[in-house]
């Protein structure tokens, strides 16, 4: 019995030694492979929908790339949550003056400088010019406000494009009182607006103001006037003479008078 027990114990010891040796060799192989392998192995290439169907269908990308969609994304990405809330609130109460004034006192006046300017710009972009005028008046009352021709320009152009010429001229006068001159685009849009509004005399007043500007005039507002003043030959001749003096190398096209019924 003792001899049998000794034999079984020696046999078990041999089996255990063999098992440990085998595991040790496997561990050493895995360790060597992990040392020699690169730290970051590239992921296995997978065929995407665009790779499989792009050449056949002629499309560059057949899947959504995760970028946001919609016309308002660019504006929303730059506007804070409070500014967006103010825009929605002002649009909600735009037809109720009392509620709108209360909303401006309780929410608009709490905005920071950049948020106020962002609200003004977004209202102009959305075509809410009446609300934009209210917002601009709020901005002018702030301590940090300084006369800025670009704030005036964008709002005046937005008003002129919607033929709100009375509001545009009120801002124009305020801008001139602050000794600011607009650029050529502003002159062009206001002159075009008055011509479409049926007020050539007001268009000429803006034109005379343009000639006093310290910046060199451009051709576009002249050509807008020359085209819009065809039914008014006396005013047109005056603009034509100025144009030929300032731009001697340019020509002015004079259509036959009978086309416009001037004879």
């Amino acid at each position: 019995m003792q001899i049998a027990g000794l034999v079984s114990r020696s046999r078990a010891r041999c089996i255990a030694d063999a098992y440990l040796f085998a595991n040790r060799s496997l561990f050493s192989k895995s360790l060597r492979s992990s040392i020699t392998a690169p730290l970051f192995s590239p992921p296995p290439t997978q065929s995407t929908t665009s790779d499989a169907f792009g050449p056949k269908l002629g499309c560059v990308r057949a899947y959504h790339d995760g970028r946001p969609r919609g016309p308002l994304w660019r504006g929303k990405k730059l506007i804070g949550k409070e500014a967006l809330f103010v825009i929605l609130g002002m649009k909600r109460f735009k037809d109720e003056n009392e509620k709108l004034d209360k909303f401006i006192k309780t929410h608009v006046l709490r905005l920071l400088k950049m948020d106020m300017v962002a609200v003004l710009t977004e209202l102009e972009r959305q075509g809410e010019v009446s609300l934009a005028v209210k917002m601009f008046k709020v901005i002018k009352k702030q301590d940090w406000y300084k006369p800025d021709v670009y704030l005036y320009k964008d709002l005046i152009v937005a008003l002129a494009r919607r033929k709100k010429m009375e509001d545009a001229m009120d801002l124009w006068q305020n801008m001139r009182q602050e000794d600011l001159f607009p650029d050529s685009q502003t002159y062009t849009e206001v002159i075009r607006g008055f011509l479409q509004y049926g007020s050539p005399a007001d268009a000429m007043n803006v034109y005379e103001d343009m000639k006093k500007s310290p910046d060199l005039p451009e051709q576009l507002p002249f050509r807008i006037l020359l085209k819009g003043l065809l039914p008014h030959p006396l005013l047109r001749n005056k603009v034509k003479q100025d144009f030929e003096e300032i731009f001697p190398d340019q020509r002015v096209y004079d259509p036959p008078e009978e086309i416009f019924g001037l004879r």
Side-chain angles (χ1 to χ4, degrees):
M1 294 293 292
Q2 293 178 356
I3 296 173
L6 291 172
V7 172
S8 62
R9 283 196 296 271
S10 63
R11 185 177 180 183
R13 189 179 299 169
C14 291
I15 294 173
D17 293 337
Y19 178 78
L20 291 174
F21 179 79
N23 286 341
R24 187 179 301 169
S25 62
L26 291 174
F27 176 77
S28 61
K29 289 181 180 179
S30 63
L31 182 62
R32 287 195 301 270
S33 63
S34 64
I35 294 174
T36 56
L39 294 177
F40 300 96
S41 58
T45 57
Q46 297 179 358
S47 61
T48 60
T49 306
S50 61
D51 295 333
F53 300 98
K56 296 180 182 179
L57 298 177
C59 59
V60 178
R61 191 166 42 232
Y63 58 90
H64 192 276
D65 58 358
R67 292 182 295 180
R69 297 291 187 261
L72 292 178
W73 167 250
R74 179 174 298 178
K76 287 184 177 180
K77 185 171 63 173
L78 301 177
I79 299 177
K81 293 182 179 179
E82 292 188 4
L84 287 175
F85 173 77
V86 166
I87 293 172
L88 295 176
M90 293 183 69
K91 292 173 65 176
R92 179 182 179 184
F93 300 122
K94 65 179 179 179
D95 296 328
E96 304 177 45
N97 293 329
E98 294 183 1
K99 292 184 178 180
L100 179 59
D101 294 338
K102 183 178 179 180
F103 182 82
I104 290 174
K105 292 179 180 178
T106 55
H107 294 88
V108 177
L109 295 178
R110 297 170 52 188
L111 293 177
L112 300 176
K113 173 182 177 181
M114 296 306 298
D115 288 333
M116 285 189 178
V117 176
V119 170
L120 173 63
T121 304
E122 184 63 19
L123 289 174
E124 293 170 355
R125 193 190 68 81
Q126 295 184 17
E128 301 288 347
V129 289
S130 298
L131 294 177
V133 171
K134 283 185 172 294
M135 190 66 206
F136 183 67
K137 292 179 180 179
V138 172
I139 290 176
K140 289 187 64 177
K141 294 179 181 179
Q142 303 305 307
D143 296 334
W144 47 261
Y145 170 77
K146 293 181 180 180
D148 189 345
V149 67
Y150 293 102
L151 291 178
Y152 277 104
K153 168 193 170 181
D154 295 338
L155 189 51
I156 290 174
V157 169
L159 289 168
R161 288 177 176 175
R162 287 158 183 81
K163 298 182 180 181
K164 294 183 177 294
M165 303 311 300
E166 294 181 1
D167 295 334
M169 288 312 297
D170 289 340
L171 286 176
W172 188 281
Q173 294 175 359
N174 293 334
M175 178 184 61
R176 295 296 295 114
Q177 290 175 0
E178 296 181 1
D179 199 21
L180 297 175
F181 283 92
D183 59 358
S184 180
Q185 180 189 4
T186 311
Y187 283 115
T188 301
E189 294 297 336
V190 174
I191 289 173
R192 181 188 283 117
F194 274 125
L195 291 175
Q196 294 176 352
Y197 193 69
S199 300
D202 292 326
M204 289 299 296
N205 290 333
V206 176
Y207 167 72
E208 294 295 335
D209 188 77
M210 182 183 70
K211 293 195 298 183
K212 300 176 183 177
S213 175
D215 299 329
L216 294 176
E218 297 184 6
Q219 296 186 29
L220 184 57
F222 282 92
R223 295 192 179 278
I224 294 295
L225 267 175
L226 290 172
K227 181 178 179 181
L229 292 177
L230 285 172
H232 307 278
L234 296 179
L235 296 177
R236 187 176 185 274
N237 289 334
K238 181 180 180 181
V239 176
K240 180 181 177 181
Q241 292 176 0
D242 295 339
F243 180 82
E244 291 176 346
E245 291 178 1
I246 299 174
F247 306 101
D249 298 333
Q250 301 296 322
R251 296 181 58 186
V252 177
Y253 173 70
D254 293 322
E257 294 182 356
E258 57 269 13
I259 293 179
F260 297 92
L262 300 178
R263 283 189 177 181

